[in-house]
Each structure stands twice: as structure tokens, then as C-alpha cells.
Amino acid sequence: MRVLFIILGALCLIGAAVMYSFRNDSHLSELGDVWWIPLPLAVASIIVAARSRS
């Protein structure tokens, strides 16, 4: 279960970084405006993974 939450947290961080990189693209600027939305899920997943025993 711990690995699942680590992977989920990493994917959320990568997704936020990719969304942030689209800030200057005229067609995908909406993604750049909401890049921060996956960050709470990433933080929560990493905290759950750190507290998980297995």
C-alpha cells in the first residue's frame, strides 16, 4: 500500500509540474492557471505513505 501512495504522490507532483509548464502556451493556458490543484493530493498521499507500515 505504501508504494501505491508514493506513486500517486509522485504522479501528482509530475502532473502539477507539467501543468505549470503550459502557462505560456496560448492553447493550454487554462492548465497553467490551475497547476496547484494536484498538490494537496500529492501532499496527502506522501503523508499517508510515510505513516503506512506496509
Side-chain angles (χ1 to χ4, degrees):
M1 208 58 173
R2 182 179 200 170
V3 174
L4 176 70
F5 284 111
I6 290 172
I7 292 171
L8 180 63
L11 284 175
C12 289
L13 290 175
I14 292 168
V18 169
M19 290 168 65
Y20 184 79
S21 70
F22 288 136
R23 292 185 79 183
N24 296 328
D25 189 5
S26 62
H27 297 291
L28 298 172
S29 63
E30 294 85 10
L31 287 175
D33 296 336
V34 293
W35 65 270
W36 53 270
I37 290 179
L39 292 179
L41 180 60
V43 170
S45 297
I46 292 170
I47 289 173
V48 168
R51 292 186 181 197
S52 178
R53 293 180 187 219
S54 59

